[in-house]
Each structure stands twice: as C-alpha cells, then as structure tokens.
C-alpha cells in the first residue's frame, strides 16, 4: 500500500503535532519547493541511526508516490546500512555517496545538525540550489536555505511525519515502520524525558497501521553477534568511575579480533550509563579510520550537549557526541576540562 497523495480528504492533519516552533511560512515554502522539483536528493547524517535513516526513507516513500525522482544517501566512506536497520523498508531508494548528484537542485537533510554531519555529501549539499534542513537538535547551526528545525520535538521523525501530511501523504505500514524506528530510537523506547503526550499520540497513529512493534524492538535492541559480547566484556573491563563520571573505550583491535563492525557498538553507552554513582557516561569508540567517536549521556543535571558542542559535535542536553582526532588520554582530558566548566556554570560557581 502506498500513500495516496491526491486524496487530501483522508489526510489526518489534525492528528499531527503542529510544531509551532516552525513558522507556517516555512512549511508552505518547503511544500512549494518540493512540489516544483522533478528530482529530490535526500541525505541523512553519517553512520545513521533509526531516526536519521527512518525519517529520510519515510519522506522518500511519499516523494516517490508523487512522481518525483528520488536519490537518498548518507556520506560514509564505507557505505553500508547498519545491520540493526536493515529491516527498514525502502532501501531500494539508497545509493552510495558517489552516485549522489554533484550539483543537486533540491536537497533535504534529515537529523543533521551541522554540514559536517553529512560527511562525504557535505560539498554536494553546499552546491545545491536549495537545501531544506529537517532536524530537532538544539545544536543545529541553521545551515541550508530553509530550516524545518524544532528542538522541542523528541525526534526528527516527528517533523518527518508532519512533512508527510503536508505533502498530502497518508501513513501506511512502510512509512509507519520507518517513522516508528525513528521515534523509539530517539526516545530510548519511550524512556527519555523527551517522551511527551505528543510522542505517545504519534506512536498510536503509527501502530494503528498494523505495525509489529515486537519485531521492530527485536531488530533494534534484542539482536547482536556473539563477538559483541566479547567486545563488550573488554569495554567493561576497562571502565573507570571518577567524580560522577563513568567512561570506557573500544579500539579497532578489539573489534577486529571478532570481525565486529563499528556500527555494532551503539548499545554499549546504554549499559555504561546505568551506573548509579555516575551522572555522566562516556564511551570512546575507535572507527575504521582511527578517529574516536565519543558518545555521551547525562541523567539530567549536566548538559552534555553543551560540552560536545564546544568539542566540535553536538546533540541534546542528555545525549550528545563528537569526533576526536586525539588519543584516548588527550580526548578524555579535554572532555573533563569542558565538563568541569559546564558543571561550574550549572552550580552557579564563577
């Protein structure tokens, strides 16, 4: 079943959140730009999570039903959909970065707070005539020519759903699967403080299409190769607790011993963050190029989004990240310094 973009009488516009942070004039301009384009290039952030890839594919379904030529991608040097997300429908829309239009007419980005988060597609987007940015990160740098950005939205998927409706589309099982993956990913399966009544209302709309939420949950959280357990054991063996901060790291050598792809490391931070004695959790993950991808979490008292923004990344108050080109020792030293500054400001100290 595909969305019927012509039957606007069936469009559940009242059921969708209004997202007042985005002016109506911006939504209207986005619809006009998309309506006037023959080809639309879609891009999400590198190493995509469920919110980035799910939001992009959901909108891609609607655009394709409108008769648009669709090209969708993300700018990783080793282009591959993370194993945990291979259940998402619509992946026939995806192309590797080298097949992305070099000078696109219209680009829509999803869940990317900065141009750098587009990776290899950054220059393509910079050359585009129009760039619509769909995002919910407070650290968004307002790049592009039109921003559909609402930092109060729990997930970019909430904005993608609104765009689906405004383009005249309706939810079907494929679109809902993509949006639900984004919603549960960025709300921690409805456990994070961002889980509002609007989040549950959206979930109800998506589930009403006939989703198997148990199957989606199993794909996202309840599967891993045996090597993950071995790498996790190494990370937990190294874990350190110091002054309300718990942290550890995973090297390329750790992964290579078990043939474990980098994308399989995402869940380690959720185990480390459980530590009762720590307010902030950090996991350093060495990628295939020798850089350290730093994932951070806070239980609420510390704004790790601010810390990561200073260090070249970004995110949310309770969940953020950045890339470090230094070693473990220097990376953690810089993080501690910036963390101390944020703690002093939050406590009112000079």
């Amino acid at each position: 079943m595909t969305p019927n973009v012509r039957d606007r009488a069936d469009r559940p516009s009242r059921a969708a959140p209004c997202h007042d942070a985005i002016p109506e004039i911006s939504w209207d301009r986005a619809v006009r730009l998309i309506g006037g384009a023959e080809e639309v290039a879609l891009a999400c952030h590198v190493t995509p999570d469920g919110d980035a890839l799910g939001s992009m594919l959901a909108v891609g379904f609607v655009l394709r039903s409108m008769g648009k030529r669709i090209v969708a991608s993300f700018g990783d040097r080793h282009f591959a959909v993370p194993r945990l997300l291979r259940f998402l429908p619509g992946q026939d829309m995806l192309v590797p970065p080298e097949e992305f239009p070099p000078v696109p007419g219209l680009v829509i980005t999803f869940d990317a707070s900065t141009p750098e988060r587009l990776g290899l597609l950054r220059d393509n987007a910079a050359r585009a005539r129009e760039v619509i940015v769909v995002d919910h990160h407070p650290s968004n740098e307002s790049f592009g020519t039109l921003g559909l950005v609402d930092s109060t939205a729990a997930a970019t998927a909430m904005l993608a759903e609104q765009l689906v409706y405004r383009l005249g589309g309706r939810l079907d099982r494929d679109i809902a699967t993509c949006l639900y993956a984004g919603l549960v990913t960025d709300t921690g399966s409805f456990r994070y403080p961002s889980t509002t009544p609007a989040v549950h209302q959206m979930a109800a709309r998506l589930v009403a299409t006939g989703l198997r939420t148990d199957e989606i949950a199993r794909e996202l959280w309840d599967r891993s190769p045996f090597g993950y357990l071995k790498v996790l054991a190494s990370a937990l063996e190294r874990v350190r607790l110091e002054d309300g901060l718990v942290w550890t790291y995973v090297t390329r050598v750790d992964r290579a011993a078990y043939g474990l792809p980098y994308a399989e490391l995402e869940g380690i931070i959720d185990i480390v963050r459980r530590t009762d004695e720590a307010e902030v959790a950090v996991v350093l993950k060495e990628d295939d190029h020798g850089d350290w991808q730093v994932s951070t979490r806070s239980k609420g008292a510390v704004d790790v989004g601010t810390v990561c923004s200073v260090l070249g990344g970004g995110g949310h108050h309770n969940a953020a990240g950045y890339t470090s080109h230094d070693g473990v020792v220097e990376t953690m030293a810089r993080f501690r310094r910036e963390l101390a500054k944020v703690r002093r400001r939050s406590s009112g100290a000079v």
Side-chain angles (χ1 to χ4, degrees):
M1 179 179 179
T2 57
N4 181 355
V5 297
R6 296 177 179 84
D7 191 358
R8 290 179 180 269
D10 292 331
R11 187 177 80 181
S13 56
R14 291 183 181 179
C18 294
H19 297 291
D20 294 334
I22 301 174
E24 280 298 316
I25 191 173
S26 296
W27 286 113
D28 291 344
R29 182 167 179 245
V31 171
R32 287 197 305 273
L33 288 173
I34 293 169
E38 294 183 1
E39 180 179 75
V40 183
L42 309 178
C44 66
H45 66 66
V46 293
T47 316
D49 58 8
D51 195 24
L53 187 60
S55 297
M56 180 172 71
L57 293 176
V59 172
F61 272 117
V62 177
L63 297 179
R64 190 162 62 179
S65 74
M66 295 170 66
K68 308 296 181 183
R69 293 196 305 272
I70 302 301
V71 176
S73 188
F74 47 90
D76 285 299
R77 280 179 276 186
H78 297 292
F79 180 79
V81 173
R83 182 186 60 82
L84 297 178
L85 299 177
R86 290 176 188 168
F87 72 95
L88 289 179
Q91 294 185 35
D92 57 303
M93 290 183 267
L94 297 175
V95 300
E98 58 268 23
E99 295 181 21
F100 202 80
V103 186
L106 174 61
V107 170
I108 308 177
T109 70
F110 295 87
D111 209 40
S113 57
T114 67
E116 288 75 18
R117 292 287 285 152
L118 298 176
L120 297 178
L121 299 180
R122 176 184 178 180
D123 290 342
N124 304 65
R127 290 188 291 264
R129 183 168 62 251
E130 299 282 356
V131 179
I132 301 173
V133 176
V134 184
D135 187 34
H136 74 127
H137 291 95
S139 57
N140 188 280
E141 293 185 354
S142 301
F143 68 100
T145 59
L146 176 62
L148 301 178
V149 179
D150 182 359
S151 63
T152 68
T156 293
M158 299 187 77
L159 306 177
E161 185 203 24
Q162 183 73 355
L163 186 56
V164 165
Y165 295 144
R166 288 172 181 272
L167 290 171
R170 293 182 299 168
L171 297 179
D172 66 7
R173 190 166 178 173
D174 285 343
I175 293 174
T177 296
C178 293
L179 293 176
Y180 188 82
L183 193 64
V184 297
T185 296
D186 268 32
T187 61
S189 195
F190 311 112
R191 291 176 294 137
Y192 296 165
S194 59
T195 305
T196 62
V199 168
H200 286 296
Q201 290 160 6
M202 177 177 170
R205 292 191 293 275
L206 302 178
V207 173
T209 65
L211 296 187
R212 286 295 305 271
T213 57
D214 58 330
E215 293 179 357
I216 294 174
R218 184 163 54 250
E219 292 290 344
L220 290 174
W221 292 295
D222 295 337
R223 295 183 57 195
S224 62
F226 178 73
Y228 172 78
L229 299 179
K230 293 290 191 177
V231 172
L232 174 63
S234 297
L236 295 181
E237 180 66 25
R238 300 187 184 110
V239 73
R240 298 291 180 266
L241 177 65
E242 47 188 52
D243 190 25
L245 168 67
V246 60
W247 68 277
T248 188
Y249 63 94
V250 178
T251 70
R252 282 186 292 179
V253 174
D254 294 333
R255 294 190 291 110
Y258 301 98
L260 192 70
Y262 170 83
E264 298 289 346
L265 304 179
E266 188 67 27
I268 294 179
I269 186 68
D270 292 317
I271 295 174
V272 175
R273 69 190 289 268
R274 298 176 186 177
T275 306
D276 286 339
E277 297 87 348
E279 170 63 29
V280 175
V282 176
V283 175
L284 281 63
K285 301 168 292 185
E286 189 179 16
D287 64 22
D288 294 335
H289 313 291
D291 295 325
W292 292 94
Q293 305 301 328
V294 184
S295 296
T296 73
R297 297 292 186 271
S298 168
K299 293 178 181 175
V302 176
D303 183 359
V304 291
T306 296
V307 177
C308 291
S309 292
V310 172
L311 295 171
H316 304 279
H317 183 103
N318 292 343
Y322 66 98
T323 300
S324 173
H325 304 292
D326 299 317
V328 170
V329 173
E330 179 57 28
T331 296
M332 285 307 302
R334 293 185 65 199
F335 182 85
R336 290 189 197 93
R337 287 195 294 270
E338 297 304 326
L339 176 63
K341 294 176 185 177
V342 170
R343 280 174 164 169
R344 285 196 298 269
R345 285 197 296 269
S346 63
S347 67
V350 178

